[in-house]
Amino acid sequence: MSYDPRFDRYRSPNLKRPKSWVDRTWWGRQTKPRVSATASSQPRPPLERLKRSKLRLWAVWAVLMLSGLGLAVNLFYLQVTRAPALRKQAQQQQTLKSKPFVPRRPIVDRSGNVLAIDRQVYTLYAHPKLFNHSKGDIAALLAPMLPIELSPGNTPETELLRRFNLAESGITIADSLAQEVADRVGRMQIKNSPVDGLELVRQQQRFYPQQELAADILGYVDGERKGQAGVEYSQQNLLERSMPSIQFSRSIDGNWLPDRLTAGFVQLDDLKLQLTIDSRLQRAARIALKDKMKQHEAKRGTVIVMDARNGELLSVVAEPSYDPNKYFNFDLSRYKNWAVTDVYEPGSTFKAINVAIALEAGVVKPKTVFNDEGRIYMDVWTIQNSDYKEAGARGPSTVTEILKHSSNVGMVHVMRTMKSSLYYQALEKLGLGQTAGTDLPFEVTSQLKNREQFINSPVEVATTAFGQGFSITPMQLVQLNGALANGGKLVTPHVVRGLFDREGQAFWKLPRAIPKQVFSPETTKQVLEMMETVVDGGTGKAAQISGYRIAGKTGTAQKASAGGGYSKKAIITSFVGIMPVEAPRYVVLAVIDEPKGGSGGTVAAPIVESVMEALINIEKIAPSQK
């Protein structure tokens, strides 16, 4: 290698200079003349370009600052301002509260017989596309097991085949199947092979083993498990068991898991809602009522039995009734118990109450005599006895005889001995214009003319004297006659005793109003003796029971028309009985709406007689000592 002074470096003898060496190497550029920066011919950048550059920088800075500020504000809004709401929303999404199914408490009668209870039932669905056997084989095996509503001309088997062809899946075959039926369906096999395509869905149902027997009292529970009539409605708070909600939290895998279940959480009390109703008497009353209604082709009827000592209702029957297990198959009008929901003019059954009012006021005595003309006129109104065409004028009659023969004219004379203002005051004291206060729901108030109209209209006093011109419920008439049976106290009719455990011990009893004294014991004793003559030889002879002293009063009232006035054909017949007279305790009322033919003595009195005979056998009532 020799030294080359042009490049101030050693050069290898083997290094050959390439073509255009100066143009292709970095040191070739060093031979070009240098030009100083001051001598450059390029112009300076304009001022506007510099300003635009600074503006861009400021804009970028502003955007960054505003974005940061926006993020800070949003962060504050989310973490501070909306924190409680977001926390609540998160908890709602991650937790779930649910009340477990808790059966309603059973309802039993006074003897402990079950009237209503929750039971486990099943709905059967068919999925024909999943059948592993022919539809005909499955229908033939299934048909004998199920209660199936048939279409016209179908047998159970052909009806099942028809339903199987309705769709490929989700066909409802039967509902409300009992456990034993569901077990048989679940064990079905054809040629030792299980049947696929049938699905049983379990659910809870309110069950009424006595069917229509006590429907007027019990009511029913709808599909949402809410009572809609009777004590199922009025005592909803007693029948529903209280149970805290279970809280579920969503786990990592998305499943719901319960939180903090305490020991004994699912334990249920053994309390039952006990009623005052006697199922045996209820059955006897319904049979007697239905027979007479059928015989006289009546529109409707009711029977009520009350213990006058404390207001306990032993029986409340209304016809036509319904089966609460299948309430959806009946007209809405069946659901109301018209013994408390409808008013009617009581007619002559109210005469005994009017006599008690007059006796209590001291204006008459049982042997006070009035002239019974049989027919009288008041202004443009004619008032006559129901038997005027047959009996005519009875002439001088005592108050006892007036009640015995149910004389309208005689009662007008009796009540006109009182000042109309005092008479109206006595009616108000008895509760007319109010309700009887029973624990059966939807009770309506009785209707009484206003004070001014009553006092200033003599015909109002006259019609009220024989039980027309005002309206009460059958339940309130029983309450008023109860005051005649218990020495003058107005008790509250009721069907609920309270909650009792399996040992029969009272856990809770429904509080009752203090009885109100409306008549003296002397007055009620006199009225009962007068009412006894009605049964012994008057209009209520059909209620006689050999060996027993029975007091009673018949009633045959014209029925008010919807457009005003009274119907020329429609009547309401009734009879109220009290037994035994020597130790009065039970009040029995029968009311028949629009019977074809007959009167209170021939239609209603035999019903009361039948019910009283059943009552004597059930309560072991000894014969009267005459």
Side-chain angles (χ1 to χ4, degrees):
M1 180 178 292
S2 61
Y3 177 78
D4 189 341
R6 290 178 299 173
F7 303 106
D8 193 21
R9 59 181 296 173
Y10 291 93
R11 182 169 61 87
S12 172
N14 297 324
L15 182 62
K16 295 183 179 179
R17 181 177 177 177
K19 188 177 181 181
S20 302
W21 176 268
V22 175
D23 296 330
R24 298 185 183 183
T25 58
W26 63 271
W27 53 78
R29 290 195 296 273
Q30 298 295 328
T31 61
K32 295 181 179 180
R34 296 179 178 271
V35 180
S36 65
T38 56
S40 175
S41 60
Q42 297 180 357
R44 292 183 177 181
L47 184 60
E48 291 76 7
R49 188 178 297 174
L50 292 175
K51 290 181 178 180
R52 284 198 296 269
S53 299
K54 290 182 178 180
L55 187 60
R56 291 193 194 98
L57 292 174
W58 280 106
V60 171
W61 180 84
V63 170
L64 293 174
M65 293 301 293
L66 289 174
S67 300
L69 181 61
L71 290 172
V73 170
N74 192 45
L75 190 61
F76 179 84
Y77 173 70
L78 293 175
Q79 292 192 347
V80 179
T81 306
R82 288 203 60 202
L86 293 174
R87 187 179 300 110
K88 183 178 180 180
Q89 184 178 351
Q91 290 175 349
Q92 291 175 347
Q93 293 175 349
Q94 298 171 13
T95 60
L96 173 68
K97 285 188 176 181
S98 175
K99 282 192 174 183
F101 172 79
V102 181
R104 290 167 73 91
R105 292 189 176 100
I107 302 176
V108 298
D109 71 356
R110 66 190 300 115
S111 301
N113 299 309
V114 176
L115 300 176
I117 194 170
D118 276 20
R119 67 170 183 173
Q120 188 171 270
V121 295
Y122 293 82
T123 299
L124 177 62
Y125 296 95
H127 308 283
K129 67 179 182 180
L130 301 178
F131 285 174
N132 57 348
H133 297 283
S134 70
K135 294 179 181 179
D137 289 344
I138 295 177
L141 189 60
L142 200 58
M145 301 182 187
L146 304 178
I148 303 173
E149 295 184 6
L150 303 179
S151 300
N154 279 353
T155 64
E157 187 173 339
T158 57
E159 176 65 20
L160 283 175
L161 284 172
R162 184 189 69 82
R163 296 188 189 183
F164 289 161
N165 293 321
L166 292 176
E168 292 187 354
S169 182
I171 304 169
T172 302
I173 301 300
D175 55 13
S176 302
L177 297 179
Q179 182 68 55
E180 55 271 19
V181 177
D183 291 342
R184 290 178 62 192
V185 172
R187 292 193 299 265
M188 279 179 51
Q189 289 189 347
I190 297 177
K191 299 177 181 179
N192 297 323
S193 174
V195 176
D196 291 337
L198 296 177
E199 179 186 13
L200 288 164
V201 177
R202 185 175 59 186
Q203 60 193 93
Q204 294 291 329
Q205 181 190 64
R206 194 66 162 168
F207 179 57
Y208 303 91
Q210 308 293 340
Q211 297 177 318
E212 69 171 17
L213 178 66
D216 319 299
I217 302 164
L218 299 174
Y220 67 95
V221 174
D222 64 11
E224 297 181 356
R225 304 194 55 75
K226 296 295 181 182
Q228 297 298 318
V231 295
E232 292 279 21
Y233 175 86
S234 64
Q235 308 303 320
Q236 175 86 7
N237 59 328
L238 296 180
L239 292 170
E240 281 190 332
R241 290 184 170 97
S242 59
M243 184 68 67
S245 298
I246 303 176
Q247 179 170 303
F248 295 85
S249 295
R250 192 182 293 274
S251 63
I252 297 175
D253 58 4
N255 294 321
W256 293 98
L257 299 176
D259 295 342
R260 300 184 300 276
L261 282 181
T262 58
F265 178 84
V266 295
Q267 291 182 359
L268 302 177
D269 62 64
D270 62 349
L271 300 179
K272 302 175 182 178
L273 183 67
Q274 189 175 59
L275 304 184
T276 61
I277 299 300
D278 189 300
S279 294
R280 297 167 296 175
L281 188 63
Q282 182 83 357
R283 185 172 289 104
R286 190 173 293 281
I287 291 173
L289 177 61
K290 291 176 74 172
D291 287 347
K292 274 298 176 184
M293 285 180 60
K294 182 179 181 180
Q295 178 183 344
H296 292 274
E297 300 179 13
K299 178 182 178 180
R300 59 182 182 174
T302 184
V303 174
I304 304 173
V305 182
M306 185 183 78
D307 187 335
R309 299 176 308 172
N310 50 26
E312 288 188 353
L313 295 169
L314 305 182
S315 176
V316 180
V317 173
E319 280 290 339
S321 189
Y322 65 100
D323 182 355
N325 294 306
K326 300 179 179 179
Y327 65 89
F328 39 80
N329 290 335
F330 296 86
D331 186 79
L332 292 174
S333 60
R334 301 281 189 99
Y335 301 157
K336 68 176 185 177
N337 184 347
W338 73 275
V340 295
T341 62
D342 290 4
V343 294
Y344 77 111
E345 296 189 9
S348 296
T349 49
F350 200 80
K351 288 176 179 175
I353 306 299
N354 278 327
V355 169
I357 291 174
L359 289 172
E360 191 73 13
V363 296
V364 298
K365 295 184 181 299
K367 294 186 178 181
T368 301
V369 177
F370 295 91
N371 183 34
D372 182 1
E373 303 96 326
R375 175 191 288 174
I376 60 175
Y377 301 94
M378 299 190 68
D379 295 332
V380 298
W381 305 97
T382 301
I383 297 174
Q384 67 181 32
N385 296 335
S386 59
D387 61 352
Y388 177 70
K389 292 182 179 180
E390 296 82 14
R394 286 195 170 88
S397 302
T398 65
V399 175
T400 300
E401 291 172 333
I402 289 172
L403 193 63
K404 177 180 179 180
H405 298 293
S406 196
S407 169
N408 293 339
V409 173
M411 284 304 305
V412 171
H413 292 320
V414 170
M415 299 317 296
R416 289 178 70 180
T417 59
M418 288 185 68
K419 289 184 178 181
S420 55
S421 59
L422 294 178
Y423 185 19
Y424 190 84
Q425 183 178 344
L427 293 172
E428 286 187 316
K429 182 180 179 181
L430 292 178
L432 267 69
Q434 304 173 27
T435 67
T438 180
D439 48 12
L440 289 170
F442 314 121
E443 183 184 12
V444 298
T445 59
S446 52
Q447 299 173 2
L448 181 65
K449 299 288 181 17
N450 64 65
R451 183 182 181 85
E452 182 179 356
Q453 183 179 2
F454 186 89
I455 292 175
N456 296 329
S457 176
V459 73
E460 291 295 342
V461 174
T463 55
T464 303
F466 54 86
Q468 299 213 218
F470 68 98
S471 301
I472 62 175
T473 62
M475 187 64 70
Q476 192 165 23
L477 185 61
V478 169
Q479 181 188 41
L480 294 174
N481 280 273
L484 300 179
N486 63 21
K489 296 177 182 179
L490 209 61
V491 296
T492 303
H494 61 277
V495 297
V496 176
R497 271 187 170 176
L499 293 175
F500 290 77
D501 61 22
R502 68 178 63 185
E503 303 298 330
Q505 299 298 317
F507 176 80
W508 178 85
K509 287 187 176 182
L510 204 65
R512 303 295 171 195
I514 299 175
K516 178 182 178 182
Q517 193 78 36
V518 291
F519 299 124
S520 66
E522 294 77 12
T523 294
T524 58
K525 183 178 179 182
Q526 290 176 334
V527 174
L528 283 180
E529 290 174 350
M530 296 164 71
M531 291 175 69
E532 188 177 9
T533 67
V534 175
V535 177
D536 285 346
T539 57
K541 289 184 288 185
Q544 292 178 355
I545 299 177
S546 179
Y548 291 87
R549 297 179 62 189
I550 298 171
K553 186 69 193 77
T554 57
T556 306
Q558 290 177 287
K559 190 172 181 180
S561 299
Y566 292 94
S567 171
K568 294 181 179 180
K569 296 182 179 180
I571 60 172
I572 295 182
T573 63
S574 55
F575 183 85
V576 59
I578 299 173
M579 71 168 296
V581 172
E582 71 277 8
R585 177 176 177 181
Y586 300 105
V587 179
V588 183
L589 171 68
V591 183
I592 310 298
D593 189 9
E594 295 188 22
K596 292 183 179 179
S599 62
T602 59
V603 179
I607 298 174
V608 173
E609 185 269 340
S610 295
V611 174
M612 284 187 169
E613 283 189 343
L615 188 61
I616 289 170
N617 292 327
I618 292 170
E619 297 294 331
K620 310 299 181 187
I621 301 173
S624 301
Q625 300 295 326
K626 292 190 177 181

